[in-house]
Amino acid sequence: MTRLKKAFEPAFLRTIFRTALPIAMQFFLASAVNLIDVVMIGSLGDDAVAASGGANQIFFLLNLVLFGINSGASVFLSQFWGTRDLKNVRRTMGMMYLLGAAAVTLFTVGALAVPRLLVQFYVHEEPAVTLAAGYLRIVGISYPVTAVSMILSMVCRCTGDVSLPTRASLLSILLNVGGNALLIFGLLGFPALGLEGAAIATAVARTAECLVLVVAVYRNGLPGAASPKELFAFDKGFVTKYARAAWPVLLNEVLWSIGTSLYSVAYGLLGTAALAAVQIANTAIQLLFVFTRGLSNACGIFIGRLVGQDDREGAIDYSYRFALLLPFTGLLTGLITIAVHPLFLSLYQVSAETLALARMLLILQALQLALRADSMALVVGIFRAGGDTLFACLLDTGTVWLVGVPLAFLGVFLGAPLWCVCLLIFCDDIAKVTIGFVHLFREKWVRNVTAQIQQN
């Protein structure tokens, strides 16, 4: 009971919310862009919705690889910033840029050279395949600037500036919405390009967001305003120690993203209507789940700083508070989702079959948001930020590959309906939270991964 009371202490909540709310707002803006895209594209029919959803699975994979790179770096960024070690903050940025460039090159070449081959993993029916390939070829151009934006946003958040990424995201959403209106429907004399117009608007919006971040960071001399010399001033010892802590996070996100992407493959085997319904439901959930995601990121920032300051007891205390607070916000989000889901579905002009499936998925996903919130807090906010990146990797990827993926395809091959496949996938989070709490209570996950680097 004492821990429960501490999780909801007004002073604690005020401190956390000051960091979490701007992060949540950035996630909200990004999710709102996705929602508006899907709503506008929805007017073009089920094939267009399924095509954009399938093509965006490639971006989803890239996004999670980049998140893995940045999340692994955030362990260092938060702990270095806990002692205001700007030199090593910027050396960490250099590693982020190098790894990000490698990932972006692979995905961009694939999107431009073989888009049809890539989308056929997710979309199986014409004309959705052709539409998806055209969409992917255009948005693939924006992958490099997206990587830069994600890196600078992560550095800003870990060093205390959570408002700049939010302002840049706001500009991005305004450009995306305006560009969609002009280029999808051909308003104000612009050509009506349909799905390709949505892709162009997305690419322009992402480019503008990157430019705003770069200019603001360097003009204001923020911690991310590093020169090439500062970025790449690392030696073999730094790279070795960085890799030892960061590689499990990167491996985690790569394996987790591939595994969760296979969920979309499984859904796609159930037909275009099912895939379109999943796209609609996921978009709504992402929009409503943003505050919980913001809290999870704030959890990682606070725990990382405490570990960097060698405050073991403080880190453990905060971990219990977050582990109790996050499920509550997930439960609240689920109840709100159930209450407002008719409003979301009224925005779409898709078939009655797709709407019925989307309604069912929204309710099912809403019922498990408390579990999802706790699994996110444990993996990203506590174990990873606390320095126990290997266990976080094993927990996150192990439950996906050993529980979620096998059960999803088992359901498909046994001819189970969409709702049953959805419930089978939820077993992933059940296993993750059960094992995660056992490890949390052992309190052996606090590891200061920056101490040895700072001593050199």
Side-chain angles (χ1 to χ4, degrees), residues 13-94:
L13 294 178
R14 284 194 298 271
T15 301
I16 298 306
F17 287 178
R18 276 197 294 268
T19 299
L21 285 175
I23 298 174
M25 181 57 66
Q26 186 182 7
F27 288 143
F28 173 81
L29 293 173
S31 298
V33 169
N34 195 26
L35 172 66
I36 292 167
D37 271 351
V38 175
V39 169
M40 291 184 168
I41 291 169
S43 65
L44 303 175
D46 288 2
D47 285 327
V49 174
S52 65
N56 277 325
Q57 281 298 313
I58 308 302
F59 177 69
F60 171 74
L61 289 173
L62 172 62
N63 192 57
L64 286 175
V65 171
L66 292 174
F67 178 77
I69 293 169
N70 295 342
S71 190
S74 72
V75 177
F76 287 85
L77 292 171
S78 295
Q79 292 190 14
F80 281 137
W81 192 246
T83 55
R84 294 302 186 270
D85 185 353
L86 185 59
K87 173 187 174 182
N88 279 311
V89 165
R90 290 178 171 173
R91 292 205 294 179
T92 301
M93 286 181 63

Side-chain angles (χ1 to χ4, degrees), residues 180-203:
N180 278 347
L182 296 176
L183 297 175
I184 293 178
F185 307 112
L187 302 181
L188 301 179
F190 282 82
L193 300 177
L195 191 59
E196 288 189 355
I200 294 171
T202 298

